Amino acid sequence: MTDAQVLSPPAPHIVAQRRGAGSRAEPSGRRWSRTGTALLILPPALLALALSVAGIGARSMWNDEYATWYASTLGFGDLARLLSNVDAVVAPYYVVLHLWIDVFGDSEASLRMPSALAMAATAALTAALGRRLFDTGTGVAAGLVMAALPAATRYGQEARPYAFAIGFATLATLLLLRAMDRPSWRRWLWYGGGVILAGLVHIVTLCVLLGHAVFMWRAFRVSGDLRLLRWAAGAFLAVTVALPLAAKGSDQSSVISWIRADATAVVTLPERIFGSWQVAVVVLAAAVLATILLWSRQRGPVVLLLSWALFPPVICYVTFPLLHLFLHRYLLFTVPAWALLAAALGFSLTRFTGRSVARIPVSSSALLVVAAVLLVGGPGQRAARHSPVYGEPDFRGAAAVVMAAAAPGDGIVYSGVTRNGRRAFDYEGRNRKLPRDVLVERTSEQNGTFGAQECADPGLCVGATRRIWLVSPTDAHLDPMNGMPGYIQGFLLTAYTLSEFRTLEDVRIFVLNRKDVR
């Protein structure tokens, strides 16, 4: 089967792609029953859901998740004020989660459950996409690889929009292939809708269009079918709808100025997007081998998957001086492409050796890739569930310590990076009485931001508070009050005696006792 046949639409394209990419015994779309579809997508979906739901509420939340809770529990007026200043690019996610919280509550498990469901759907979509590109066995294996990745577990247990971004990028790619089967305006509009959803949950996910563009350019060159140019209409529709969101996000780009695209960020990218370096080695090795074996016979699918996997990180890196978007979390939507290439190893070996797989639902080579990911993924799975997230303060534990030891009339203050801990303590103490945040003059709601405004005159705000709890980073090189304005430090050190109370992971708790109190 030639590569031209794989890419030539409309009607011949359906037959050629499904037979050329799969075995001769592979059923056609008309004969592929709903039961068969369920058998294809259920194992990956159930595995992804099981891994994501297991211990979903056990891990303490981290800074971005606390931001999600804060934004999603605001009234729509306060949320609009917040989004006018920060995080506009994830506004749709906050709105959807706001409605979810109204029904299911705001526990850790509830906040994360939409992501778990999205990751299960992603594994199912990956399986369906694998069948369309290659064969049924490859689809099942690709879905299982996707489900078994430690990164799928980590972000299936996170109250952020990344699981949705991965899922909608996969859906958009599947809709692209469906539109190529029959290049009608209706199908291209459906495709445009899929890309719109991808862009609305996270604007960087629109980079999937780069991979699609390369694939479509090659498909048009091979087939010459002018109807394929309708792809541009679907892409234009998606970009047009997402453009206002992107423009607003550009105005707020200062909030991501901390992102770095240095050598460490580049070298560790595979480890971070797959969830562990062991899994990254297995998946990338299988993907590279499959690419080599398939290049001469099934170049079309390989071009699509490689463009999807490689172009977004390359573009984000090259444009980093302007856009600051080279961050592993933003590039997670490329992972299904790698999973599909890795799972295609079994398919490529059967094509290379000429063996028939008509009666084998999943080749032994594909199963070996799935088994290898599960086998070496243990450390990554444990890391995905580590509480707190590695490198993040244990605000849950710190809040529990303070609330257990605090007395009526106590106050609390935050220094350094733990000043973001206000949101965390508000969440952890939402059903209990927290000490008064004595330095707050204007709340974050009043500011329309994630941060509160602290008092210009700390003495006036603190008043006669006799004991204050200080939440501080654990960095041994930092003073406990590092990051506080000098005038606040001066007041507290003059009026209070400082003593350490408890040290937890990446966070310390100190007690400030009034000097004139014996």
Side-chain angles (χ1 to χ4, degrees):
M1 180 61 58
T2 66
D3 192 48
Q5 285 175 297
V6 174
L7 291 173
S8 59
H13 165 76
I14 304 174
V15 178
Q17 181 161 309
R18 290 177 180 170
R19 289 186 179 174
S23 68
R24 284 177 295 179
E26 190 75 14
S28 68
R30 286 188 293 269
R31 292 172 54 200
W32 185 252
S33 65
R34 292 182 179 179
T35 302
T37 302
L39 291 175
L40 166 68
I41 67 174
L42 272 180
L46 291 176
L47 178 60
L49 187 62
L51 290 174
S52 296
V53 170
I56 193 170
R59 190 188 76 217
S60 60
M61 298 206 299
W62 69 289
N63 184 52
D64 282 12
E65 289 187 288
Y66 288 123
T68 291
W69 168 78
Y70 169 78
S72 301
T73 52
L74 292 173
F76 285 117
D78 288 334
L79 178 59
R81 191 178 306 113
L82 173 72
L83 296 175
S84 68
N85 295 310
V86 66
D87 262 8
V89 292
V90 288
Y93 174 73
Y94 288 153
V95 171
V96 170
L97 202 61
H98 178 99
L99 301 175
W100 173 274
I101 290 171
D102 283 346
V103 178
F104 298 103
D106 64 351
S107 68
E108 289 95 335
S110 177
L111 290 172
R112 292 166 173 164
M113 188 57 69
S115 293
L117 296 173
M119 198 60 76
T122 298
L125 289 167
T126 303
L129 186 55
R131 177 189 177 270
R132 184 169 284 269
L133 286 172
F134 301 106
D135 61 12
T136 302
T138 302
V140 173
L144 291 174
V145 169
M146 184 67 216
L149 295 176
T153 300
R154 162 67 196 278
Y155 293 100
Q157 292 188 342
E158 183 156 306
R160 296 297 288 171
Y162 305 117
F164 289 91
I166 304 169
F168 285 133
T170 309
L171 174 64
T173 307
L174 184 60
L175 291 172
L176 172 68
L177 297 181
R178 282 177 52 82
M180 286 185 67
D181 281 350
R182 266 185 286 166
S184 65
W185 282 112
R186 180 178 180 181
R187 289 201 172 196
W188 286 120
L189 290 176
W190 275 109
Y191 163 73
V195 179
I196 288 171
L197 291 173
L200 289 179
V201 292
H202 201 278
I203 198 68
V204 180
T205 315
L206 283 179
C207 288
V208 74
L209 283 172
L210 298 171
H212 293 176
V214 172
F215 178 65
M216 292 304 301
W217 172 77
R218 188 172 184 282
F220 177 72
R221 287 192 61 190
V222 170
S223 69
D225 192 327
L226 293 176
R227 288 175 298 175
L228 292 183
L229 297 178
R230 295 174 182 174
W231 169 83
F236 179 78
L237 173 65
V239 172
T240 301
V241 172
L243 196 59
L245 207 59
K248 188 63 178 177
S250 178
D251 293 339
Q252 301 172 352
S253 59
S254 60
V255 299
I256 56 173
S257 59
W258 56 269
I259 297 175
R260 296 289 178 266
D262 53 18
T264 300
V266 174
V267 171
T268 60
L269 181 63
E271 175 186 354
R272 292 186 172 188
I273 65 172
F274 291 110
S276 78
W277 68 265
Q278 298 97 325
V279 172
V281 168
V282 169
V283 173
L284 292 178
V288 169
L289 182 55
T291 297
I292 294 171
L293 295 176
L294 289 172
W295 187 253
S296 62
R297 302 187 180 191
Q298 294 291 134
R299 191 171 299 178
V302 173
V303 167
L304 172 62
L305 297 177
L306 282 181
S307 300
W308 175 6
L310 294 176
F311 273 88
V314 169
I315 293 298
C316 287
Y317 182 79
V318 170
T319 61
F320 179 78
L322 295 175
L323 302 177
H324 282 79
L325 297 175
F326 190 78
L327 183 67
H328 66 280
R329 292 192 293 272
Y330 297 172
L331 297 168
L332 288 167
F333 68 90
T334 64
V335 171
W338 290 115
L340 284 157
L341 280 171
L345 177 60
F347 174 85
S348 64
L349 287 173
T350 58
R351 287 291 166 268
F352 185 74
T353 60
R355 291 177 54 197
S356 173
V357 291
R359 296 184 179 181
I360 305 176
V362 186
S363 74
S364 57
S365 301
L367 288 177
L368 184 61
V369 174
V370 176
V373 170
L374 288 169
L375 181 64
V376 304
Q381 290 288 346
R382 289 190 291 274
R385 291 175 167 78
H386 183 268
S387 183
V389 172
Y390 282 114
E392 294 293 325
D394 182 10
F395 284 130
R396 177 197 280 175
V401 168
V402 171
M403 288 187 289
D410 285 1
I412 191 169
V413 295
Y414 305 87
S415 70
V417 296
T418 62
R419 296 171 84 184
N420 292 326
R422 284 192 170 97
R423 291 191 300 272
F425 271 65
D426 285 345
Y427 175 80
E428 301 298 344
R430 66 197 186 284
N431 297 320
R432 298 176 62 182
K433 182 68 174 178
L434 273 174
R436 181 174 69 92
D437 195 338
V438 294
L439 292 179
V440 170
E441 187 171 52
R442 281 176 58 87
T443 66
S444 52
E445 291 94 331
Q446 292 170 325
N447 282 342
T449 65
F450 283 119
Q453 178 180 319
E454 295 184 336
C455 299
D457 183 352
L460 184 63
C461 291
V462 170
T465 304
R466 296 186 174 186
R467 184 170 66 172
I468 298 175
W469 299 90
L470 168 63
V471 183
S472 173
T474 56
D475 193 320
H477 299 95
L478 295 179
D479 180 272
M481 294 187 183
N482 186 73
M484 281 184 164
Y487 67 93
I488 292 180
Q489 290 189 45
F491 167 77
L492 292 176
L493 291 174
T494 300
Y496 291 85
T497 300
L498 178 71
S499 60
E500 187 163 357
F501 185 79
R502 185 76 60 84
T503 298
L504 295 91
E505 191 164 344
D506 289 316
V507 62
R508 293 182 294 175
I509 301 170
F510 293 84
V511 176
L512 292 159
N513 288 296
R514 198 91 186 196
K515 288 183 177 179
D516 58 356
V517 177
R518 296 287 185 257

